[in-house]
Amino acid sequence: LREYANGKTIAVAFDKAFNFYYRENIDLLYRIGLNVEFFSPLNDKEVPKSDYIYIGGGFPEIYARELYINENMRNSILNSHKNGTPIYAECGGLMYLGSNLKDLDDVSYDMVGIFEGTSKMTSSLKRFGYCYGIAKIDTVLSNKGEVIKGHEFHHSTFESSEDCAYTMVKERDSKKLSEWDGGYSKKNTLATYLHTHFYDNIDCLKNFLIRGNE
């Protein structure tokens, strides 16, 4: 991985709204030689100059108004997407990259707008547990037919007419318990409810790094 990471910078969203990351994921980014630049979608005006952007999970629904008010940051991320910067967003990151987000009072706020759709909170868990996704198309993490493994835990839904990038499968004792469509891919941006542990998805991280070297 070092050959792809050498001299490259990854911007990682980190503040009160986005702070759920596997510690090992961040450690691995450092270990392979990436320059990690943290930024705040709540408080900063633009994304740091970078070759990649990583937006993790958190509680954007609590800070929806503040995220909306920071229009400069939203435009900065949208422009990064339009310019082809590889962007990977998980769970709360997916909610942020959609068109709109309804907060806990059901008030809707504009978000980044890479993916058409509205996120809203529900009164119960929508998905919980380990699962994997089979890529329907090529994305920044996986080529068509490849598998990405992870964990879903969320109380929100993303209502969208966008085509999904993965067939998600949940199994127990080698028996399929459920199957659904998930994840959204556009240009070099992927947003999904799946939280991935990079050590379980080394090939996915490699694919992501390669996209930034193209």
Side-chain angles (χ1 to χ4, degrees):
L1 298 178
R2 286 183 175 274
E3 63 180 297
Y4 304 109
N6 186 42
K8 301 290 185 176
T9 297
I10 185 168
V12 179
F14 195 89
D15 57 19
K16 292 185 295 184
F18 303 100
N19 51 46
F20 181 83
Y21 295 92
Y22 289 115
R23 173 73 178 272
E24 295 86 355
N25 282 4
I26 305 300
D27 289 345
L28 181 58
L29 298 179
Y30 281 112
R31 285 188 61 192
I32 63 177
L34 282 169
N35 176 36
V36 180
E37 293 282 348
F38 293 100
F39 72 99
S40 170
L42 286 171
N43 302 313
D44 294 333
K45 295 301 181 184
E46 60 183 14
V47 181
K49 186 177 180 180
S50 56
D51 303 285
Y52 311 92
I53 299 173
Y54 180 22
I55 307 174
F59 305 95
E61 69 277 6
I62 296 177
Y63 302 99
R65 183 174 182 275
E66 290 90 334
L67 292 168
Y68 161 72
I69 289 173
N70 195 352
E71 185 177 6
N72 287 338
M73 175 57 76
R74 291 190 288 113
N75 287 336
S76 177
I77 293 175
L78 182 60
N79 288 333
S80 294
H81 160 74
K82 291 179 178 178
N83 291 332
T85 301
I87 302 173
Y88 174 47
E90 298 177 329
C91 203
L94 163 62
M95 298 166 71
Y96 183 48
L97 296 189
S99 301
N100 305 94
L101 170 58
K102 289 187 176 181
D103 68 7
L104 301 177
D105 296 318
D106 206 36
V107 178
S108 181
Y109 294 95
D110 291 343
M111 292 289 113
V112 175
I114 294 174
F115 300 103
E116 294 293 331
T118 299
S119 297
K120 63 179 183 179
M121 304 304 295
T122 65
S123 59
S124 62
L125 270 173
K126 305 312 294 181
R127 300 286 179 193
F128 174 74
Y130 292 99
C131 53
Y132 61 88
I134 304 169
K136 297 182 177 185
I137 58 174
D138 292 348
T139 75
V140 290
L141 291 196
S142 51
N143 297 317
K144 183 177 179 180
E146 293 180 343
V147 173
I148 179 174
K149 296 177 286 185
H151 178 271
E152 286 198 15
F153 181 94
H154 55 96
H155 286 80
S156 68
T157 60
F158 184 65
E159 298 179 353
S160 174
S161 60
E162 299 265 11
D163 291 333
C164 289
Y166 290 87
T167 298
M168 305 301 301
V169 179
K170 184 174 183 178
E171 292 184 344
R172 182 178 298 160
D173 298 327
S174 299
K175 294 183 179 179
K176 185 184 297 184
L177 299 181
S178 57
E179 181 178 304
W180 65 96
D181 290 335
Y184 301 90
S185 179
K186 189 177 291 184
K187 293 186 71 174
N188 272 353
T189 299
L190 174 66
T192 171
Y193 272 116
L194 194 69
H195 293 282
T196 59
H197 196 290
F198 290 159
Y199 280 99
D200 287 334
N201 296 276
I202 290 295
D203 287 343
C204 293
L205 180 56
K206 179 180 178 180
N207 289 334
F208 188 56
L209 294 174
I210 289 174
R211 287 298 180 94
N213 282 269
E214 293 176 343

